[in-house]
């Protein structure tokens, strides 16, 4: 009866891993290799079977020979210098005279160093003045290898103005191009353009892009069907007029010679309390009254439309 043992000296199984430096060189792997002959359960002889490289050879990991010791083998593998990206292979050592195998997966790191690259290609700035307005910025970004290669690298948004959000997505038809989509988080009601910067990084490269949001323009709508022979009063969001004396606060009155006027969004209408105002914007219901002596007359009502809309009472 015979017993065999075949394993990496440093391992307890028939598999192993190793990391090889990019510079290459010769590495010696010690393998425990034993063959025992038993008679009546007793060992009568012991030998050290050699081994061969049973896996397909690769150009950068070459068999360097084996030295047979007492119960062990020293197997040499010659690794060449890696001038490209990281690579790996599995070496299979087969024990002579048995079906025992050791699978050793080796990985050789890359000697290539990378630096970041990023630049702006085009944009649709400035950002509009209203909340929800959008703009786009096209950038090129990648990692440059010391061997001239390029690796994809999505740029990272480090900082952005608090009045806009920024999302990044690759442009499928353009290699190493990314689209930054900007969305206004608030309307610019400062009365002037406002500016900030978007700070991008790609590896060790960075880029600061100035961005501007325009001042919000006046949103308007057209109101028609107004009384022309007398003044009219607008009451907003369910408000109703009350009779007042001449000494009390008065309601805001409007006049129209043509029955049509241009209104801003938002605008202020009368509240129920004389002298008080209520803001009205898109979607709000507004009532139109006239007054004859002490009598209030409801002429009609309208819903404030979106910017550029036209409505009649």
């Amino acid at each position: 009866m015979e017993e065999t043992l075949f394993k990496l000296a440093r391992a307890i199984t028939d598999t192993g891993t190793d990391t090889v430096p990019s510079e290459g060189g010769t590495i010696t792997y010690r393998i425990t290799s034993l063959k025992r002959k038993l008679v009546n359960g007793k060992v009568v002889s012991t030998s050290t079977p050699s081994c061969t490289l049973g896996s397909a050879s690769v150009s950068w990991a070459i068999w360097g020979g084996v030295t047979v010791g007492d119960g062990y083998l020293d197997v040499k593998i010659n690794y060449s210098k890696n001038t490209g990206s990281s690579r790996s292979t599995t070496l299979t050592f087969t024990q002579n005279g048995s079906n025992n195998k050791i699978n050793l997966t080796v990985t050789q790191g890359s000697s290539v160093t990378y630096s970041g690259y990023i630049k702006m290609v085009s944009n649709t700035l400035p950002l509009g003045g209203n909340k929800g307005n959008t703009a786009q910025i096209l950038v090129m970004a990648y990692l440059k290898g010391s061997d001239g290669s390029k690796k994809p690298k999505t740029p990272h948004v480090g900082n952005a103005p608090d009045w806009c959000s920024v999302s990044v997505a690759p442009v499928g038809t353009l290699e190493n191009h990314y689209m930054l989509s900007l969305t206004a988080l608030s309307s610019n009601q400062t009365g002037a353009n406002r500016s900030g910067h978007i700070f991008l990084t790609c590896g060790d490269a960075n880029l600061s892009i100035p961005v501007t949001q325009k001042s919000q323009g006046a949103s308007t709508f057209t109101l028609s069907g107004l009384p022309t022979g007398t003044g009219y009063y607008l009451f907003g969001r369910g408000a109703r007029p009350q009779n007042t004396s001449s000494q009390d606060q008065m309601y805001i009155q409007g006049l129209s010679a043509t029955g049509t006027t241009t209104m801003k969004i938002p605008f202020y209408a009368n509240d129920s309390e004389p002298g008080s105002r209520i803001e009205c914007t898109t979607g709000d219901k507004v009532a139109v009254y006239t007054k004859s002596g002490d009598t209030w007359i409801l002429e009609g009502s309208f819903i404030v439309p979106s910017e550029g809309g036209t409505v009649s009472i």
Side-chain angles (χ1 to χ4, degrees):
M1 179 180 177
E2 292 181 343
E3 289 181 347
T4 56
L5 176 65
F6 191 61
K7 70 179 186 67
L8 288 168
R10 66 186 182 187
I12 61 174
T13 65
D14 57 0
T15 60
T17 59
D18 192 24
T19 300
V20 179
S22 60
E23 295 78 10
T26 299
I27 296 180
T28 299
Y29 299 101
R30 176 153 291 191
I31 296 174
T32 300
S33 180
L34 291 171
K35 179 179 179 181
R36 300 185 181 98
K37 185 175 182 180
L38 293 86
V39 176
N40 296 325
K42 294 183 178 180
V43 177
V44 297
S45 66
T46 301
S47 61
T48 304
S50 188
C51 72
T52 57
L53 183 62
S55 56
S57 61
V58 292
S59 61
W60 54 274
I62 305 299
W63 175 264
V66 56
T67 299
V68 180
D70 185 9
Y72 67 87
L73 306 174
D74 283 336
V75 176
K76 293 182 179 181
I77 301 294
N78 299 318
Y79 296 100
S80 59
K81 182 178 180 179
N82 185 6
T83 59
S85 57
S86 178
R87 56 191 180 186
S88 63
T89 190
T90 298
L91 303 176
T92 300
F93 304 118
T94 303
Q95 187 182 41
N96 294 347
S98 75
N99 196 36
N100 295 332
K101 298 180 185 298
I102 293 173
N103 294 310
L104 175 65
T105 300
V106 293
T107 301
Q108 188 176 33
S110 172
S111 61
V112 179
T113 58
Y114 292 91
S115 59
Y117 176 85
I118 184 170
K119 76 169 185 177
M120 182 174 68
V121 178
S122 62
N123 68 76
T124 61
L125 296 168
L127 193 60
N130 295 319
K131 180 179 179 180
N133 286 164
T134 61
Q136 293 182 317
I137 302 173
L138 180 65
V139 300
M140 179 186 291
Y142 56 85
L143 298 178
K144 298 185 296 182
S146 57
D147 61 347
S149 62
K150 296 179 181 179
K151 288 177 62 175
K153 178 68 174 179
T154 302
H156 171 70
V157 180
N159 291 294
D162 58 8
W163 37 263
C164 79
S165 64
V166 183
S167 62
V168 182
V171 180
T173 56
L174 295 172
E175 185 178 13
N176 297 322
H177 283 69
Y178 300 86
M179 188 65 73
L180 276 63
S181 297
L182 283 63
T183 302
L185 298 177
S186 61
S187 298
N188 181 7
Q189 299 176 334
T190 64
N193 291 350
R194 57 184 176 184
S195 299
H197 287 80
I198 296 174
F199 189 75
L200 304 175
T201 59
C202 179
D204 58 356
N206 58 72
L207 177 66
S208 182
I209 302 176
V211 293
T212 299
Q213 185 185 25
K214 296 189 294 185
S215 176
Q216 185 182 40
S219 299
T220 62
F221 72 96
T222 300
L223 176 61
S224 63
L226 294 168
T228 57
T230 183
Y232 62 88
Y233 302 83
L234 301 181
F235 287 83
R237 295 159 57 182
R240 295 182 178 183
Q242 301 176 11
N243 288 323
T244 61
S245 67
S246 58
Q247 288 79 24
D248 291 336
Q249 294 285 335
M250 302 299 291
Y251 292 114
I252 299 174
Q253 182 182 29
L255 296 171
S256 175
T258 64
T260 299
T261 188
T262 298
M263 303 286 294
K264 290 184 177 181
I265 304 174
F267 66 93
Y268 283 94
N270 292 297
D271 202 351
S272 297
E273 184 69 24
S276 61
R277 310 289 180 257
I278 187 169
E279 185 180 74
C280 298
T281 189
T282 298
D284 289 337
K285 185 175 181 179
V286 179
V288 182
Y289 284 85
T290 57
K291 188 176 184 183
S292 176
D294 292 333
T295 303
W296 289 96
I297 303 169
L298 177 62
E299 301 289 346
S301 63
F302 62 92
I303 302 296
V304 182
S306 302
E307 178 183 3
T310 299
V311 68
S312 181
I313 68 171

